[in-house]
Amino acid sequence: MASPSAGPAELGFVEAAPSWRLRSEQFPSKVGGRPAWLSAAGLPGPPELACPLCGRPMAFLLQVYAPLPGRADAFHRCLFLFCCRTPPCCCGLRVFRNQLPRRNDFYSYEPPSEDPPSETGESVYLQLKSGAHLCRVCGCSGPKRCSRCHKAHYCSKEHQSLDWRLGHKQACAQTDNLGNTVPDHNFLFPEFEIVIETEDEIMPEVVERDNESEIIGGMGEAHEEDLESMAKHESKEDKIFQKFKTKISLEPEQILRYGRGIAPLWISGKNIPQEKDIPDCPCGAKRLFEFQVMPQLLNYLKADRLGRSIDWGVLAVFTCAESCELGIGYAEEFVWKQDITDAA
């Protein structure tokens, strides 16, 4: 694994956005709702989107649009992160990568329009251009279908049962209106656009020095040997947590830090992965850090409405260093979870 650089990160913040801006053809980075799938073919199936710990269907957490300059085969490129939100588990995580050339079967060669479409309704899109059907509950691949109407599709028996209880039992006969009668299943996370800004690399250093000046100034009466003793007893974990707090202090609302190949910003010195902990890509290439999800995102997810809920300190996503070609498929990458308790 190559040594990570200390270059500037791009910071992600959540903003409310009209639904049309979060559709696949706008190539969004977004949190919650249903996935805005990039390739309309080769979607991960229900086994790939099942929690690796409890086996239940996972919920879409966020996606990051991250094309690679100079790579014709990755002109469009997106990473999709899913998590388990089924109590008492709420632990499983999976992340997938998909990429397409500029000329492809699904999107115009030209950039998408910045103007809203004439039709701006809130209808839920449950069939892709490829013809693939999506689950009415989670928006993932839906190979199962209702045996009565043959119109409603699902990823699993769990989601079919949930939809039946919450309205499909009554709507089943109204097949022409199914797309407009999707209830709130209390399964999806709230939906936001992720807007990106580049981190200012100078200011955090200034803040750190100012803080140190205040601390040192306040200890003006202390003896030099006492200060040395205090410094020796400050643990590596304390220093990493202080660095984390200082780094985010200027932009406390950041929910994401992106930088392919840069060093992650860990919340603690505990449970930091070693090279052996990051599995190589099946193509044989090493994986490198690409982005991390910050704990601030939890404030926007309303995740505790189901009782015991998801939690994390840092979710760090590592992807194939070669971003290997996939055809039209979705490749699973690797996510490392560092808990807030690791910083305690």
Side-chain angles (χ1 to χ4, degrees), residues 17-30 34-38 63 107 112 116-125 191:
S19 60
W20 66 270
R21 283 179 56 85
L22 304 178
R23 295 175 184 169
S24 296
E25 58 270 21
Q26 293 293 320
F27 308 110
S29 292
K30 77 183 192 84
R34 292 171 174 82
W37 297 109
L38 183 58
Q63 65 190 74
Y107 303 103
S118 54
E119 171 270 312
T120 57
E122 299 294 324
S123 294
V124 176
Y125 290 84
E191 191 172 35

mmCIF file of all heavy atoms in Angstrom, residues 17-30 34-38 63 107 112 116-125 191:
data_model
loop_
_atom_site.group_PDB
_atom_site.id
_atom_site.type_symbol
_atom_site.label_atom_id
_atom_site.label_comp_id
_atom_site.label_asym_id
_atom_site.label_seq_id
_atom_site.Cartn_x
_atom_site.Cartn_y
_atom_site.Cartn_z
ATOM 1 N N ALA A 17 -32.566 19.622 -1.548
ATOM 2 C CA ALA A 17 -32.554 19.813 -3.000
ATOM 3 C C ALA A 17 -33.847 19.276 -3.584
ATOM 4 O O ALA A 17 -34.442 18.329 -3.046
ATOM 5 C CB ALA A 17 -31.360 19.098 -3.623
ATOM 6 N N PRO A 18 -34.313 19.867 -4.706
ATOM 7 C CA PRO A 18 -35.505 19.311 -5.365
ATOM 8 C C PRO A 18 -35.225 17.901 -5.865
ATOM 9 O O PRO A 18 -34.080 17.558 -6.190
ATOM 10 C CB PRO A 18 -35.751 20.287 -6.522
ATOM 11 C CG PRO A 18 -34.438 20.967 -6.755
ATOM 12 C CD PRO A 18 -33.758 21.031 -5.425
ATOM 13 N N SER A 19 -36.252 17.085 -5.940
ATOM 14 C CA SER A 19 -36.069 15.665 -6.252
ATOM 15 C C SER A 19 -35.420 15.456 -7.616
ATOM 16 O O SER A 19 -34.654 14.499 -7.798
ATOM 17 C CB SER A 19 -37.415 14.940 -6.184
ATOM 18 O OG SER A 19 -38.332 15.502 -7.108
ATOM 19 N N TRP A 20 -35.665 16.339 -8.589
ATOM 20 C CA TRP A 20 -35.106 16.119 -9.924
ATOM 21 C C TRP A 20 -33.579 16.219 -9.924
ATOM 22 O O TRP A 20 -32.916 15.569 -10.734
ATOM 23 C CB TRP A 20 -35.694 17.106 -10.952
ATOM 24 C CG TRP A 20 -35.330 18.554 -10.733
ATOM 25 C CD1 TRP A 20 -36.009 19.467 -9.991
ATOM 26 C CD2 TRP A 20 -34.182 19.234 -11.276
ATOM 27 N NE1 TRP A 20 -35.371 20.679 -10.021
ATOM 28 C CE2 TRP A 20 -34.253 20.569 -10.807
ATOM 29 C CE3 TRP A 20 -33.128 18.856 -12.102
ATOM 30 C CZ2 TRP A 20 -33.287 21.528 -11.131
ATOM 31 C CZ3 TRP A 20 -32.164 19.805 -12.432
ATOM 32 C CH2 TRP A 20 -32.247 21.118 -11.959
ATOM 33 N N ARG A 21 -33.018 16.989 -8.998
ATOM 34 C CA ARG A 21 -31.560 17.130 -8.941
ATOM 35 C C ARG A 21 -30.884 15.880 -8.375
ATOM 36 O O ARG A 21 -29.658 15.738 -8.469
ATOM 37 C CB ARG A 21 -31.175 18.340 -8.083
ATOM 38 C CG ARG A 21 -31.362 19.672 -8.784
ATOM 39 C CD ARG A 21 -30.983 20.818 -7.875
ATOM 40 N NE ARG A 21 -29.627 20.697 -7.366
ATOM 41 C CZ ARG A 21 -28.542 21.119 -8.007
ATOM 42 N NH1 ARG A 21 -28.669 21.682 -9.195
ATOM 43 N NH2 ARG A 21 -27.341 21.005 -7.455
ATOM 44 N N LEU A 22 -31.667 14.986 -7.797
ATOM 45 C CA LEU A 22 -31.103 13.800 -7.161
ATOM 46 C C LEU A 22 -31.328 12.535 -7.983
ATOM 47 O O LEU A 22 -31.095 11.430 -7.508
ATOM 48 C CB LEU A 22 -31.703 13.639 -5.765
ATOM 49 C CG LEU A 22 -31.521 14.859 -4.851
ATOM 50 C CD1 LEU A 22 -32.198 14.628 -3.516
ATOM 51 C CD2 LEU A 22 -30.049 15.190 -4.657
ATOM 52 N N ARG A 23 -31.765 12.709 -9.229
ATOM 53 C CA ARG A 23 -31.983 11.562 -10.109
ATOM 54 C C ARG A 23 -30.686 11.168 -10.812
ATOM 55 O O ARG A 23 -29.754 11.965 -10.939
ATOM 56 C CB ARG A 23 -33.071 11.888 -11.133
ATOM 57 C CG ARG A 23 -34.439 12.112 -10.507
ATOM 58 C CD ARG A 23 -35.459 12.539 -11.543
ATOM 59 N NE ARG A 23 -36.756 12.847 -10.933
ATOM 60 C CZ ARG A 23 -37.758 13.438 -11.562
ATOM 61 N NH1 ARG A 23 -37.625 13.789 -12.842
ATOM 62 N NH2 ARG A 23 -38.890 13.693 -10.931
ATOM 63 N N SER A 24 -30.660 9.951 -11.314
ATOM 64 C CA SER A 24 -29.442 9.396 -11.908
ATOM 65 C C SER A 24 -28.866 10.270 -13.006
ATOM 66 O O SER A 24 -27.641 10.437 -13.109
ATOM 67 C CB SER A 24 -29.731 7.996 -12.460
ATOM 68 O OG SER A 24 -30.077 7.104 -11.432
ATOM 69 N N GLU A 25 -29.725 10.855 -13.844
ATOM 70 C CA GLU A 25 -29.228 11.621 -14.995
ATOM 71 C C GLU A 25 -28.543 12.918 -14.592
ATOM 72 O O GLU A 25 -27.895 13.566 -15.426
ATOM 73 C CB GLU A 25 -30.357 11.910 -15.985
ATOM 74 C CG GLU A 25 -31.536 12.675 -15.415
ATOM 75 C CD GLU A 25 -32.622 11.789 -14.848
ATOM 76 O OE1 GLU A 25 -32.341 10.607 -14.526
ATOM 77 O OE2 GLU A 25 -33.761 12.276 -14.727
ATOM 78 N N GLN A 26 -28.651 13.321 -13.326
ATOM 79 C CA GLN A 26 -27.949 14.505 -12.834
ATOM 80 C C GLN A 26 -26.612 14.141 -12.182
ATOM 81 O O GLN A 26 -25.880 15.033 -11.737
ATOM 82 C CB GLN A 26 -28.829 15.247 -11.822
ATOM 83 C CG GLN A 26 -30.084 15.867 -12.422
ATOM 84 C CD GLN A 26 -29.758 17.005 -13.380
ATOM 85 O OE1 GLN A 26 -28.871 17.803 -13.117
ATOM 86 N NE2 GLN A 26 -30.496 17.071 -14.482
ATOM 87 N N PHE A 27 -26.291 12.854 -12.105
ATOM 88 C CA PHE A 27 -25.035 12.370 -11.504
ATOM 89 C C PHE A 27 -24.810 12.990 -10.122
ATOM 90 O O PHE A 27 -23.800 13.646 -9.868
ATOM 91 C CB PHE A 27 -23.847 12.659 -12.423
ATOM 92 C CG PHE A 27 -24.051 12.171 -13.832
ATOM 93 C CD1 PHE A 27 -24.227 13.056 -14.881
ATOM 94 C CD2 PHE A 27 -24.087 10.802 -14.094
ATOM 95 C CE1 PHE A 27 -24.433 12.599 -16.169
ATOM 96 C CE2 PHE A 27 -24.290 10.339 -15.397
ATOM 97 C CZ PHE A 27 -24.465 11.246 -16.434
ATOM 98 N N PRO A 28 -25.759 12.788 -9.216
ATOM 99 C CA PRO A 28 -25.648 13.452 -7.910
ATOM 100 C C PRO A 28 -24.708 12.737 -6.955
ATOM 101 O O PRO A 28 -24.449 11.537 -7.066
ATOM 102 C CB PRO A 28 -27.087 13.374 -7.378
ATOM 103 C CG PRO A 28 -27.590 12.063 -7.931
ATOM 104 C CD PRO A 28 -26.982 11.962 -9.308
ATOM 105 N N SER A 29 -24.189 13.495 -5.987
ATOM 106 C CA SER A 29 -23.711 12.932 -4.729
ATOM 107 C C SER A 29 -24.827 13.213 -3.738
ATOM 108 O O SER A 29 -25.309 14.346 -3.662
ATOM 109 C CB SER A 29 -22.415 13.601 -4.274
ATOM 110 O OG SER A 29 -21.339 13.288 -5.138
ATOM 111 N N LYS A 30 -25.257 12.207 -2.992
ATOM 112 C CA LYS A 30 -26.418 12.424 -2.139
ATOM 113 C C LYS A 30 -26.433 11.463 -0.967
ATOM 114 O O LYS A 30 -25.755 10.435 -0.961
ATOM 115 C CB LYS A 30 -27.712 12.308 -2.948
ATOM 116 C CG LYS A 30 -28.147 10.897 -3.290
ATOM 117 C CD LYS A 30 -29.401 10.936 -4.156
ATOM 118 C CE LYS A 30 -30.044 9.541 -4.268
ATOM 119 N NZ LYS A 30 -30.915 9.236 -3.126
ATOM 120 N N ARG A 34 -33.642 6.685 -2.141
ATOM 121 C CA ARG A 34 -33.275 5.490 -2.905
ATOM 122 C C ARG A 34 -32.009 5.773 -3.702
ATOM 123 O O ARG A 34 -31.750 6.914 -4.052
ATOM 124 C CB ARG A 34 -34.418 5.102 -3.848
ATOM 125 C CG ARG A 34 -35.665 4.616 -3.101
ATOM 126 C CD ARG A 34 -36.867 4.447 -4.026
ATOM 127 N NE ARG A 34 -37.996 3.845 -3.309
ATOM 128 C CZ ARG A 34 -38.844 4.516 -2.535
ATOM 129 N NH1 ARG A 34 -38.698 5.836 -2.385
ATOM 130 N NH2 ARG A 34 -39.835 3.894 -1.907
ATOM 131 N N PRO A 35 -31.221 4.743 -3.994
ATOM 132 C CA PRO A 35 -30.006 4.992 -4.775
ATOM 133 C C PRO A 35 -30.336 5.586 -6.138
ATOM 134 O O PRO A 35 -31.326 5.207 -6.768
ATOM 135 C CB PRO A 35 -29.389 3.596 -4.931
ATOM 136 C CG PRO A 35 -30.046 2.734 -3.896
ATOM 137 C CD PRO A 35 -31.400 3.312 -3.658
ATOM 138 N N ALA A 36 -29.498 6.515 -6.586
ATOM 139 C CA ALA A 36 -29.574 7.014 -7.966
ATOM 140 C C ALA A 36 -28.536 6.213 -8.745
ATOM 141 O O ALA A 36 -27.408 6.661 -8.958
ATOM 142 C CB ALA A 36 -29.291 8.514 -8.018
ATOM 143 N N TRP A 37 -28.910 5.006 -9.139
ATOM 144 C CA TRP A 37 -27.975 4.081 -9.760
ATOM 145 C C TRP A 37 -27.309 4.703 -10.974
ATOM 146 O O TRP A 37 -27.961 5.421 -11.743
ATOM 147 C CB TRP A 37 -28.681 2.798 -10.157
ATOM 148 C CG TRP A 37 -29.244 2.018 -8.998
ATOM 149 C CD1 TRP A 37 -30.564 1.855 -8.674
ATOM 150 C CD2 TRP A 37 -28.498 1.288 -8.011
ATOM 151 N NE1 TRP A 37 -30.692 1.078 -7.542
ATOM 152 C CE2 TRP A 37 -29.439 0.710 -7.115
ATOM 153 C CE3 TRP A 37 -27.137 1.063 -7.795
ATOM 154 C CZ2 TRP A 37 -29.066 -0.073 -6.028
ATOM 155 C CZ3 TRP A 37 -26.753 0.287 -6.710
ATOM 156 C CH2 TRP A 37 -27.711 -0.277 -5.844
ATOM 157 N N LEU A 38 -26.018 4.424 -11.157
ATOM 158 C CA LEU A 38 -25.296 4.946 -12.319
ATOM 159 C C LEU A 38 -25.596 4.058 -13.523
ATOM 160 O O LEU A 38 -26.423 4.404 -14.366
ATOM 161 C CB LEU A 38 -23.799 5.018 -12.020
ATOM 162 C CG LEU A 38 -22.913 5.611 -13.121
ATOM 163 C CD1 LEU A 38 -23.349 7.025 -13.486
ATOM 164 C CD2 LEU A 38 -21.447 5.582 -12.704
ATOM 165 N N GLN A 63 -24.197 8.130 -1.659
ATOM 166 C CA GLN A 63 -23.385 7.878 -2.840
ATOM 167 C C GLN A 63 -22.550 9.103 -3.143
ATOM 168 O O GLN A 63 -22.955 10.237 -2.868
ATOM 169 C CB GLN A 63 -24.250 7.508 -4.041
ATOM 170 C CG GLN A 63 -25.173 8.597 -4.554
ATOM 171 C CD GLN A 63 -26.144 8.060 -5.587
ATOM 172 O OE1 GLN A 63 -27.106 7.351 -5.253
ATOM 173 N NE2 GLN A 63 -25.909 8.393 -6.846
ATOM 174 N N TYR A 107 -26.789 7.325 -20.804
ATOM 175 C CA TYR A 107 -26.820 8.778 -20.623
ATOM 176 C C TYR A 107 -26.358 9.501 -21.881
ATOM 177 O O TYR A 107 -25.589 8.960 -22.680
ATOM 178 C CB TYR A 107 -25.921 9.198 -19.438
ATOM 179 C CG TYR A 107 -26.298 8.529 -18.159
ATOM 180 C CD1 TYR A 107 -25.549 7.465 -17.653
ATOM 181 C CD2 TYR A 107 -27.423 8.925 -17.437
ATOM 182 C CE1 TYR A 107 -25.893 6.824 -16.482
ATOM 183 C CE2 TYR A 107 -27.782 8.291 -16.260
ATOM 184 C CZ TYR A 107 -27.019 7.241 -15.793
ATOM 185 O OH TYR A 107 -27.376 6.608 -14.630
ATOM 186 N N PRO A 112 -25.622 17.116 -18.284
ATOM 187 C CA PRO A 112 -27.052 17.295 -17.999
ATOM 188 C C PRO A 112 -27.409 18.765 -17.877
ATOM 189 O O PRO A 112 -26.578 19.603 -17.537
ATOM 190 C CB PRO A 112 -27.240 16.574 -16.663
ATOM 191 C CG PRO A 112 -25.881 16.594 -16.027
ATOM 192 C CD PRO A 112 -24.903 16.499 -17.162
ATOM 193 N N PRO A 116 -34.549 22.799 -14.311
ATOM 194 C CA PRO A 116 -35.475 21.729 -13.926
ATOM 195 C C PRO A 116 -36.290 21.267 -15.119
ATOM 196 O O PRO A 116 -36.602 22.062 -16.024
ATOM 197 C CB PRO A 116 -36.361 22.398 -12.862
ATOM 198 C CG PRO A 116 -36.229 23.860 -13.102
ATOM 199 C CD PRO A 116 -34.847 24.073 -13.646
ATOM 200 N N PRO A 117 -36.641 19.993 -15.182
ATOM 201 C CA PRO A 117 -37.464 19.500 -16.290
ATOM 202 C C PRO A 117 -38.876 20.054 -16.192
ATOM 203 O O PRO A 117 -39.309 20.521 -15.135
ATOM 204 C CB PRO A 117 -37.438 17.983 -16.096
ATOM 205 C CG PRO A 117 -37.200 17.805 -14.627
ATOM 206 C CD PRO A 117 -36.314 18.947 -14.215
ATOM 207 N N SER A 118 -39.593 20.017 -17.312
ATOM 208 C CA SER A 118 -40.979 20.519 -17.304
ATOM 209 C C SER A 118 -41.835 19.686 -16.371
ATOM 210 O O SER A 118 -42.759 20.183 -15.744
ATOM 211 C CB SER A 118 -41.552 20.488 -18.727
ATOM 212 O OG SER A 118 -41.423 19.187 -19.284
ATOM 213 N N GLU A 119 -41.507 18.403 -16.276
ATOM 214 C CA GLU A 119 -42.221 17.516 -15.359
ATOM 215 C C GLU A 119 -41.361 17.389 -14.104
ATOM 216 O O GLU A 119 -40.265 16.834 -14.124
ATOM 217 C CB GLU A 119 -42.431 16.152 -16.033
ATOM 218 C CG GLU A 119 -42.981 15.073 -15.114
ATOM 219 C CD GLU A 119 -41.890 14.286 -14.408
ATOM 220 O OE1 GLU A 119 -40.928 13.847 -15.051
ATOM 221 O OE2 GLU A 119 -42.020 14.143 -13.176
ATOM 222 N N THR A 120 -41.828 17.937 -13.002
ATOM 223 C CA THR A 120 -41.035 17.935 -11.766
ATOM 224 C C THR A 120 -41.799 17.273 -10.619
ATOM 225 O O THR A 120 -41.665 17.641 -9.475
ATOM 226 C CB THR A 120 -40.655 19.370 -11.358
ATOM 227 O OG1 THR A 120 -41.860 20.147 -11.221
ATOM 228 C CG2 THR A 120 -39.746 20.009 -12.385
ATOM 229 N N GLY A 121 -42.632 16.307 -10.955
ATOM 230 C CA GLY A 121 -43.426 15.639 -9.926
ATOM 231 C C GLY A 121 -42.567 14.809 -8.995
ATOM 232 O O GLY A 121 -41.377 14.601 -9.211
ATOM 233 N N GLU A 122 -43.201 14.288 -7.966
ATOM 234 C CA GLU A 122 -42.500 13.521 -6.942
ATOM 235 C C GLU A 122 -42.665 12.018 -7.136
ATOM 236 O O GLU A 122 -42.447 11.256 -6.215
ATOM 237 C CB GLU A 122 -43.036 13.921 -5.558
ATOM 238 C CG GLU A 122 -42.834 15.380 -5.207
ATOM 239 C CD GLU A 122 -41.360 15.734 -5.059
ATOM 240 O OE1 GLU A 122 -40.594 14.898 -4.567
ATOM 241 O OE2 GLU A 122 -40.994 16.855 -5.449
ATOM 242 N N SER A 123 -43.045 11.567 -8.361
ATOM 243 C CA SER A 123 -43.243 10.141 -8.586
ATOM 244 C C SER A 123 -41.959 9.369 -8.300
ATOM 245 O O SER A 123 -40.858 9.839 -8.578
ATOM 246 C CB SER A 123 -43.685 9.893 -10.032
ATOM 247 O OG SER A 123 -44.958 10.452 -10.268
ATOM 248 N N VAL A 124 -42.133 8.179 -7.758
ATOM 249 C CA VAL A 124 -40.992 7.313 -7.469
ATOM 250 C C VAL A 124 -40.708 6.465 -8.703
ATOM 251 O O VAL A 124 -41.612 5.824 -9.250
ATOM 252 C CB VAL A 124 -41.306 6.410 -6.254
ATOM 253 C CG1 VAL A 124 -40.167 5.434 -6.011
ATOM 254 C CG2 VAL A 124 -41.568 7.263 -5.024
ATOM 255 N N TYR A 125 -39.462 6.467 -9.158
ATOM 256 C CA TYR A 125 -39.080 5.703 -10.334
ATOM 257 C C TYR A 125 -38.632 4.311 -9.898
ATOM 258 O O TYR A 125 -37.618 4.159 -9.219
ATOM 259 C CB TYR A 125 -37.957 6.412 -11.095
ATOM 260 C CG TYR A 125 -38.432 7.680 -11.770
ATOM 261 C CD1 TYR A 125 -38.494 8.878 -11.076
ATOM 262 C CD2 TYR A 125 -38.856 7.649 -13.095
ATOM 263 C CE1 TYR A 125 -38.951 10.034 -11.687
ATOM 264 C CE2 TYR A 125 -39.312 8.802 -13.723
ATOM 265 C CZ TYR A 125 -39.356 9.988 -13.010
ATOM 266 O OH TYR A 125 -39.814 11.129 -13.617
ATOM 267 N N GLU A 191 -33.458 12.319 2.658
ATOM 268 C CA GLU A 191 -32.672 12.542 1.436
ATOM 269 C C GLU A 191 -32.143 13.966 1.363
ATOM 270 O O GLU A 191 -32.879 14.932 1.572
ATOM 271 C CB GLU A 191 -33.532 12.241 0.208
ATOM 272 C CG GLU A 191 -32.747 12.173 -1.088
ATOM 273 C CD GLU A 191 -33.604 11.678 -2.241
ATOM 274 O OE1 GLU A 191 -34.814 12.004 -2.272
ATOM 275 O OE2 GLU A 191 -33.068 10.982 -3.114
#
